[in-house]
Amino acid sequence: MTRLARPGGSPPTPRSVDVARLAGVSQKTVSRVLNDEQYVSADVRRRVLDAAAELGYRRNQAARALASGRTRSIGVVTLGSALYGPASWLMGIERAVREVGYTLRVAATIEGDPGGIASALTSLLGQGVDGVVISEPIDEGVGLISVDVPVLVLGAPPTFAAPQVVTARVGAGRLARAAT
């Protein structure tokens, strides 16, 4: 059964402690199962997953981010456009990050705004993204941009100071693979 939302008046969202109680295991065991760690027997794994499904348990990404210091989210800076090319890139990037358990955060810029990229990056970094994709054509006049997360640039990059900068310039297929 797929349960996406609670109807009004239903009990509160189940927590991992509720899953542990129903499965008859510790909360740490629930964590091990949900993180797909080894050294959990098949029977225990099945009980935990069955209990989670029965309760409609979903991981609390905010709690995970607090515990790990990582949001498992990627930010994308894109030119605010509904044109087919940018929109299809964005859809492809979103599918790719979702497949590996990440979420996507988007900050759109306005064409011709010289401070747009820096402003978009400030917004994304304020949301705690773990990396950034720049998929916007870069206009002249953008100076050095310094960030503390890895950056993937699709196209001609401005100058970045970052732990890692990857630039992809040729072919849509290569761009999509590089983005993922």
Side-chain angles (χ1 to χ4, degrees):
M1 167 177 33
T2 302
R3 189 180 308 175
L4 298 177
R6 296 177 294 148
S10 66
T13 303
R15 299 170 301 148
S16 62
V17 67
D18 302 319
V19 174
R21 190 175 300 118
L22 182 60
V25 299
S26 71
Q27 196 170 356
K28 180 61 180 168
T29 298
V30 170
S31 176
R32 285 186 180 115
V33 169
L34 296 177
N35 288 318
D36 203 27
E37 293 178 12
Q38 50 188 357
Y39 308 118
V40 177
S41 73
D43 176 59
V44 168
R45 186 175 303 278
R46 182 193 46 76
R47 286 191 350 240
V48 168
L49 294 176
D50 288 349
E54 181 179 331
L55 293 171
Y57 173 79
R58 287 182 287 196
R59 288 179 157 187
N60 182 326
Q61 296 301 337
R64 288 184 80 193
L66 284 173
S68 69
R70 298 189 60 202
T71 62
R72 297 198 52 84
S73 64
I74 303 294
V76 175
V77 176
T78 184
L79 183 62
S81 171
L83 296 175
Y84 177 76
S88 63
W89 272 11
L90 193 55
M91 294 293 290
I93 292 169
E94 191 280 331
R95 284 184 192 119
V97 299
R98 187 170 9 117
E99 284 176 9
V100 294
Y102 278 70
T103 57
L104 192 67
R105 299 173 190 263
V106 178
T109 63
I110 299 170
E111 191 170 356
D113 178 5
I117 294 171
S119 175
L121 284 168
T122 298
S123 172
L124 292 170
L125 294 171
Q127 296 175 52
V129 297
D130 297 326
V132 177
V133 177
I134 307 289
S135 68
E136 139 165 359
I138 305 301
D139 294 329
E140 297 297 320
V142 176
L144 175 69
I145 296 176
S146 179
V147 296
D148 58 357
V149 298
V151 175
L152 169 66
V153 181
L154 306 177
T159 306
F160 274 99
Q164 183 177 15
V165 178
V166 176
T167 303
R169 296 184 186 183
V170 293
R174 286 187 185 167
L175 292 176
R177 278 190 290 286
T180 59

